Amino acid sequence: MAAAEPAKRRSSTGRGTARRRPADDSPPSPRSGGAARAIRSALEQLGLLLGRTPESVSAIRPSDDGWEADVEVLELERIPETTSVMATYRVTLDGEGELVAYERKRRYTRGQIDRR
């Protein structure tokens, strides 16, 4: 007995699935470009302002006007590395990806684990 042929899948490129850029030819904002673009923008701009290289982003969320991100920064390097002082900065980006505010939320040693 012959095996049943699997049902054919319909293409996912149906009507209404294509995304188009606005006609004004302006570059897409981080809000429309997604979280990855907002993260790159936050890291770059905060690094320039602080004069330190951010290590990672621990949170990203859309806001009414753009994005908010929590960025981890090495503030004081020590030996052993687990005693280095880290800081979490809250970065606010507008709809164009420009950093409009930042604030240090907490400082901690690299080896510290949050207690919840």
Side-chain angles (χ1 to χ4, degrees):
M1 181 176 245
E5 187 174 318
K8 292 184 179 180
R9 295 182 128 186
R10 292 192 337 179
S11 171
S12 63
T13 59
R15 287 184 289 196
T17 59
R19 293 185 179 182
R20 295 184 182 156
R21 283 189 63 189
D24 65 1
D25 288 333
S26 63
S29 70
R31 178 72 180 188
S32 66
R37 183 172 292 174
I39 288 171
R40 283 190 301 272
S41 184
L43 291 173
E44 179 182 323
Q45 293 179 69
L46 184 63
L48 290 172
L49 288 170
L50 297 177
R52 298 180 183 99
T53 303
E55 296 214 348
S56 65
V57 173
S58 56
I60 183 85
R61 64 191 132 312
S63 68
D64 292 338
D65 300 323
W67 293 91
E68 285 185 350
D70 291 346
V71 180
E72 309 304 318
V73 177
L74 173 65
E75 291 211 326
L76 181 60
E77 191 168 8
R78 291 186 175 159
I79 297 174
E81 193 174 271
T82 55
T83 63
S84 293
V85 178
M86 303 291 294
T88 301
Y89 285 85
R90 170 82 36 88
V91 176
T92 304
L93 301 170
D94 67 12
E96 300 302 315
E98 295 299 315
L99 189 144
V100 293
Y102 74 94
E103 105 182 83
R104 186 171 60 200
K105 300 302 284 181
R106 68 182 270 241
R107 290 180 87 186
Y108 58 97
T109 59
R110 187 185 291 272
Q112 181 179 340
I113 297 173
D114 286 341
R115 295 178 189 194
R116 294 189 189 236

